Amino acid sequence: MSSGDLAQRLRETAALLEAFAPSTDALRALEEVRNAVDAAQAQLTAEMSETLEHEGEGYSSVKAWLRDQLRVSSRRASELVRSGVTLKQIPEAAELASAGGMSLEHVKHLSYAVTHVGPGHTRDLLPELLDVASSHEPAALRQVVRALRDAVYPDELDQAWIDGMAREDIQVNPVPDGVHINGFLNSTTGAKLTALLQSLSAPSGADDPRTSAQRRVDGLERLLDSVLESGLPCDKGVRPHLALTIDASTLMDDAGSGELVGFGTIGIRQLQEMICEADITPIAVGGKDGVLDVGRSSRLATPRQRTAVLARQGHQCASPGCRAPVVHIHHIIWWSRGGPTNLANLIGLCPRCHRAVHAGSLVIDPTTHEFTDRHGRLLPGADPRHRRRRLPTHPPATRLPRAG
């Protein structure tokens, strides 16, 4: 049988699976077939390495032949070469893979075991390893192999921890479109950070619209706010501030820029958002005398005002159609434009919608409190309860907690 005939039969077999009912059976069968085909490719790759057939076609290496003739990536070519060697070393693994019982991803972890744990230890525990491979996803086999390596070479664990501490570093560097964070943490510090971010970035519910990336950033922002609001121990409880240097006419004219100490020049939209919500000290420079205006202490919503806003909105962002949790309290008539910190002028928004307001793509009418786009059109598809409702000017008829 020629290679073309074999390929045609495999395609016909795959087409037959479309008639399977239910589809779950077809998917299971396809996975077994794919694993078997992958195993056959790996074994044929190992055979080609021994017979040097690739050299007869003008290729200096097996990987070069695979990349050119099969049009696979370098990573896939390396995987086939490595897996072919492992399947030849472990006939039991080759038998299981050829029967479709495990994937080349599983074989990769067996290759790691042979190389980093040793052929002898791998052979001793092979029945257990193959049992995990045939009944669990590759990550489970990887975890077992790593645990085996740690048990065989326990001294390397402490050395890895020591080496990790020597590499520790955190760098926060401003770049044109934000801040780039780069670094390396030892396993202890990394585990603490992971646990904290997982807790802070958990979805607020089944219908939380935020992506995992947005939740992580929102969680980090909440963490930073909680620390800054309490004050740093080295500053004896004095709340740290960010410094903004701006022209006094900038905020009213919707033009110009500001200087954020520690970062550099920022645009007017970002500047107005920071003054609206972030815990900062705006420093306005203007007039002939260069008088410094460090802002008003009543700029941020009080705890009781925040509680009232959350209760009024059911703890959801007020933007039409958005169900994300409230993180920021926004002045409908912006603080920078003279808006008071009164409950009637406060609204709760999620970080994404808050940025959209300050970017100008989402507009809140100061009189009707309706949400429109930059062209004054009501947002399409909005929940009618959000689209045209007016926010109440008084807190709901519930008893609010005493200010502590």
Side-chain angles (χ1 to χ4, degrees):
M1 179 185 297
S2 67
S3 60
D5 293 336
L6 176 60
Q8 179 60 32
R9 289 195 179 186
L10 290 174
R11 286 193 292 268
E12 291 173 354
T13 301
L16 289 175
L17 291 172
E18 296 181 358
F20 268 41
S23 59
T24 52
D25 291 338
L27 287 171
R28 277 190 285 265
L30 276 174
E31 184 65 16
E32 290 182 3
V33 170
R34 187 180 72 168
N35 289 342
V37 171
D38 285 347
Q41 271 195 314
Q43 290 172 304
L44 288 172
T45 298
E47 181 181 326
M48 183 167 57
S49 298
E50 294 180 350
T51 61
L52 303 180
E53 291 180 42
H54 58 283
E55 293 183 358
E57 296 188 13
Y59 292 91
S60 60
S61 69
V62 173
K63 291 182 182 179
W65 187 94
L66 292 170
R67 291 195 303 268
D68 187 63
Q69 293 297 314
L70 302 188
R71 299 181 300 281
V72 299
S73 66
S74 296
R75 179 178 180 182
R76 172 66 174 176
S78 298
E79 180 183 47
L80 288 172
V81 171
R82 181 177 59 247
S83 298
V85 173
T86 301
L87 293 179
K88 187 174 181 62
Q89 291 175 323
I90 310 176
E92 297 89 340
E95 182 179 354
L96 179 60
S98 297
M102 68 174 177
S103 67
L104 290 192
E105 186 74 11
H106 292 94
V107 177
K108 179 181 73 173
H109 298 310
L110 291 178
S111 301
Y112 181 92
V114 172
T115 303
H116 297 279
V117 180
H121 294 296
T122 303
R123 170 62 60 183
D124 292 340
L125 292 176
L126 186 58
E128 289 80 3
L129 294 176
L130 293 182
D131 181 63
V132 173
S134 63
S135 57
H136 294 81
E137 61 179 324
L141 180 60
R142 176 184 180 275
Q143 185 175 3
V144 170
V145 171
R146 291 300 178 97
L148 176 60
R149 180 179 181 274
D150 295 342
V152 174
Y153 304 107
D155 293 342
E156 293 189 7
L157 293 174
D158 284 336
Q159 187 59 49
W161 175 60
I162 294 172
D163 293 342
M165 286 191 292
R167 295 176 56 194
E168 285 185 308
D169 184 27
I170 288 290
Q171 298 178 8
V172 181
N173 301 311
V175 294
D177 55 350
V179 173
H180 183 266
I181 301 176
N182 184 44
F184 180 87
L185 302 176
N186 71 63
S187 55
T188 303
T189 306
K192 293 178 182 178
L193 179 61
T194 299
L196 188 58
L197 283 181
Q198 286 177 342
S199 175
L200 292 173
S201 61
S204 60
D207 58 348
D208 191 333
R210 298 174 298 167
T211 65
S212 57
Q214 290 169 339
R215 295 199 308 270
R216 284 193 296 270
V217 174
D218 291 347
L220 179 60
E221 184 177 9
R222 288 167 52 198
L223 173 63
L224 296 176
D225 286 344
S226 66
V227 174
L228 294 175
E229 287 174 359
S230 302
L232 301 178
C234 61
D235 293 329
K236 298 181 180 180
V238 177
R239 299 170 68 189
H241 286 69
L242 301 179
L244 284 171
T245 303
I246 58 176
D247 187 274
S249 61
T250 294
L251 299 178
M252 300 301 296
D253 295 341
D254 280 345
S257 60
E259 186 77 14
L260 174 59
V261 175
F263 176 80
T265 304
I266 62 175
I268 183 62
R269 301 294 186 183
Q270 181 183 358
L271 178 66
Q272 289 170 332
E273 182 199 8
M274 292 183 69
I275 292 178
C276 174
E277 169 63 24
D279 189 12
I280 63 173
T281 297
I283 303 176
V285 180
K288 296 181 180 180
D289 299 328
V291 177
L292 294 180
D293 181 3
V294 298
R296 292 170 284 175
S297 60
S298 60
R299 175 178 55 84
L300 296 178
T302 67
R304 293 189 66 185
Q305 287 175 325
R306 185 180 184 89
T307 300
V309 171
L310 293 176
R312 183 172 65 192
Q313 297 178 196
H315 293 260
Q316 290 184 345
C317 176
S319 178
C322 183
R323 297 293 184 269
V326 172
V327 177
H328 296 165
I329 303 298
H330 170 74
H331 291 70
I332 299 174
I333 300 177
W334 296 1
W335 172 264
S336 59
R337 297 175 180 176
T341 309
N342 296 334
L343 190 58
N345 193 46
L346 300 178
I347 190 171
L349 300 172
C350 70
R352 182 172 52 179
C353 292
H354 195 190
R355 282 190 287 270
V357 169
H358 283 279
S361 57
L362 191 63
V363 180
I364 306 175
D365 188 288
T367 303
T368 65
H369 295 179
E370 291 178 337
F371 286 78
T372 63
D373 60 19
R374 67 174 74 248
H375 302 294
R377 296 174 301 212
L378 290 174
L379 299 184
D383 187 330
R385 294 173 300 173
H386 290 112
R387 179 187 290 180
R388 295 186 176 277
R389 79 171 188 273
R390 292 189 54 167
L391 298 177
T393 56
H394 299 287
T398 56
R399 183 178 297 276
L400 299 177
R402 290 181 177 271

